[in-house]
Amino acid sequence: MDYEKFKEKFTEDLKSNLEARGYDIASIEITPSQKLNQDAYDAISVKLEDSMMGASGNFSNLFAAFEKAGDYDLILDHATQLMDEAISHMPSYDMSQITDYDFIKDKLVLEAVNSEKNAALLEKVPHKDMEDIAIVYRVLLGQMDDGVASVVVSNEMLEKMNVTKEQLHKDALISSPEIRPVEVNTLYGTIAELLPDVDLGIPAGGPEDQILVGTVTDKHHGAGVIAYEGFLDEQARKMGEDFYIIPCSIHEVLLVPESMGGDIEALKEMIASVNTCELSPEDVLSNNLYHYDSKEKVFEIADTFKERIAAKERESDKEKESAVGKLKKTQDKVKEAPKKEHKPKIKDKPEMAL
């Protein structure tokens, strides 16, 4: 069965299965879609009668599973069960509220995603660039058994609400830390939480106690904390120095004190290795290493930071050379200036004593 025949038969059979379970199905559609940090795919959407809400899933994955397993009924039963659970746990919000800014502004959260991977989607949504990372805005609508019900704010939504990107960002800076509070732990502490019954054999006061892990309390999309107001400055204050930022994933970042980040090439190689070997593609944030300059308030790619500092040092050297050069020229002028003839002062003749 090819893709088109599978699509036609699958939508008809899924509709029949869901109606047999008591749902009034208005339509089942398969349309191109794209989620943040994921490649484009075909989505299957189930819409209910007398409701603006529905359930959706990845249809491309369903067809891929059918091609691999060859069992049509198994895939259909699986999809039916997933849609049944999704529909039964849908939040009770009226979708018209999504364009009511007073309703959504307290539900906004910040999320960090890879700019290049999400280039097509970023054309349609408001975002703030932080080098090759994009900060997007999501509305959290409710909790479900397998995650959260949410929607990414689009340019179209903003236009309907007559809200500026600046206002959206300002409000998200307030609501996001309240909904997803910052959580910072040492690398040692984070590992100990993950492996509570394992003797790590790591001595206290080592590098693992100085490197920090930044995320949010539910550990979901925690890398967005880099855009929280005051977050980077607060960590620099606690460390007592500036630091490098390792984008572990879209869920957390590592903060490495500048004094420990001498070999930035090694850090970059580590990032590339983890992204390639240990993370699923949708969890990758970036292959770049970053640096935060707390004095200049600059978040930048580490290579850019090194170039900026080198340029400053070259400029400083030029200024020193220029100052020395000016002093030398002044000295040379003094040497070359014609000397005035020195005339000794004539002393008054002494009076002769009588």
Side-chain angles (χ1 to χ4, degrees):
M1 192 185 311
D2 65 18
Y3 187 77
E4 291 303 320
K5 288 183 179 179
F6 178 84
K7 182 166 68 173
E8 181 179 354
K9 178 175 174 55
F10 198 86
T11 52
E12 291 177 358
D13 291 344
L14 180 60
K15 185 173 186 292
S16 298
N17 281 5
L18 291 173
E19 287 177 338
R21 296 191 179 200
Y23 295 111
D24 293 327
I25 306 300
S27 65
I28 296 181
E29 300 176 350
I30 296 174
T31 56
S33 183
Q34 183 179 9
K35 286 188 176 181
L36 287 169
N37 248 44
Q38 296 185 25
D39 295 330
Y41 64 94
D42 278 351
I44 182 167
S45 302
V46 177
K47 295 183 179 179
L48 305 179
E49 293 285 359
D50 302 322
S51 175
M52 296 184 69
M53 299 193 72
S56 64
N58 190 319
F59 184 75
S60 298
N61 284 349
L62 292 173
F63 181 69
F66 165 70
E67 285 190 310
K68 183 177 181 179
D71 191 332
Y72 177 83
D73 291 334
L74 177 66
I75 304 303
L76 178 62
D77 289 344
H78 175 68
T80 302
Q81 184 62 29
L82 288 178
M83 291 299 179
D84 186 359
E85 291 178 1
I87 293 171
S88 63
H89 290 90
M90 284 192 307
S92 58
Y93 298 127
D94 184 335
M95 285 301 287
S96 64
Q97 292 178 300
I98 297 302
T99 54
D100 179 354
Y101 192 67
D102 287 335
F103 173 77
I104 74 166
K105 74 175 185 178
D106 296 329
K107 300 173 178 61
L108 294 169
V109 294
L110 302 172
E111 293 186 358
V113 299
N114 181 274
S115 296
E116 183 178 358
K117 186 178 292 187
N118 297 283
L121 193 58
L122 291 176
E123 293 180 1
K124 304 174 185 177
V125 303
H127 60 278
K128 180 180 178 62
D129 292 321
M130 295 182 70
E131 293 289 9
D132 64 330
I133 294 174
I135 303 299
V136 299
Y137 310 89
R138 185 181 292 274
V139 183
L140 295 188
L141 296 173
Q143 192 73 31
M144 299 173 67
D145 290 346
D146 59 348
V148 295
S150 65
V151 59
V152 177
V153 178
S154 67
N155 293 331
E156 184 180 0
M157 288 171 61
L158 277 192
E159 186 175 350
K160 287 182 179 180
M161 294 183 289
N162 194 28
V163 174
T164 65
K165 294 179 181 179
E166 292 74 18
Q167 185 63 49
L168 177 73
H169 184 72
K170 180 180 177 182
D171 290 332
L173 286 177
I174 297 172
S175 59
S176 194
E178 293 179 355
I179 299 170
R180 287 179 172 167
V182 171
E183 181 175 287
V184 178
N185 198 354
T186 63
L187 180 58
Y188 177 88
T190 300
I191 297 173
E193 283 182 3
L194 294 173
L195 304 169
D197 300 323
V198 177
D199 182 6
L200 301 176
I202 300 174
E208 295 81 5
D209 269 340
Q210 299 174 57
I211 296 173
L212 302 180
V213 180
T215 184
V216 292
T217 49
D218 65 2
K219 311 297 193 295
H220 185 72
H221 274 284
V225 296
I226 62 173
Y228 282 20
E229 190 170 16
F231 172 77
L232 297 175
D233 286 323
E234 176 65 11
Q235 305 318 309
R237 186 189 65 77
K238 288 180 178 178
M239 287 184 181
E241 60 181 297
D242 294 343
F243 52 89
Y244 291 98
I245 300 101
I246 296 176
C248 296
S249 73
I250 59 175
H251 303 297
E252 65 277 307
V253 292
L254 282 183
L255 311 178
V256 181
E258 192 177 277
S259 57
M260 295 176 60
D263 190 353
I264 67 171
E265 292 303 320
L267 293 177
K268 287 159 62 177
E269 288 175 9
M270 182 186 71
I271 293 169
S273 176
V274 170
N275 286 348
T276 303
C277 305
E278 298 184 29
L279 291 181
S280 57
E282 61 268 23
D283 285 339
V284 173
L285 180 55
S286 174
N287 285 322
N288 279 313
L289 174 69
Y290 305 92
H291 179 272
Y292 184 64
D293 183 333
S294 60
K295 183 178 180 181
E296 301 292 337
K297 310 296 182 187
V298 176
F299 172 92
E300 60 196 329
I301 292 173
D303 287 338
T304 305
F305 163 68
K306 290 293 186 183
E307 291 170 3
R308 181 167 63 85
I309 296 303
K312 274 189 174 183
E313 290 175 351
R314 288 194 298 269
E315 187 64 30
S316 177
D317 290 341
K318 285 182 181 178
E319 289 177 359
K320 288 178 182 178
E321 290 173 4
S322 176
V324 171
K326 286 179 179 178
L327 179 60
K328 188 175 183 304
K329 285 180 180 179
T330 301
Q331 290 174 333
D332 290 342
K333 286 181 179 179
V334 171
K335 289 179 181 179
E336 294 170 2
K339 295 182 179 179
K340 294 181 179 180
E341 185 179 350
H342 178 69
K343 294 181 179 181
K345 292 182 179 180
I346 300 175
K347 294 183 179 180
D348 293 333
K349 291 181 178 181
E351 295 181 0
M352 187 177 292
L354 293 177

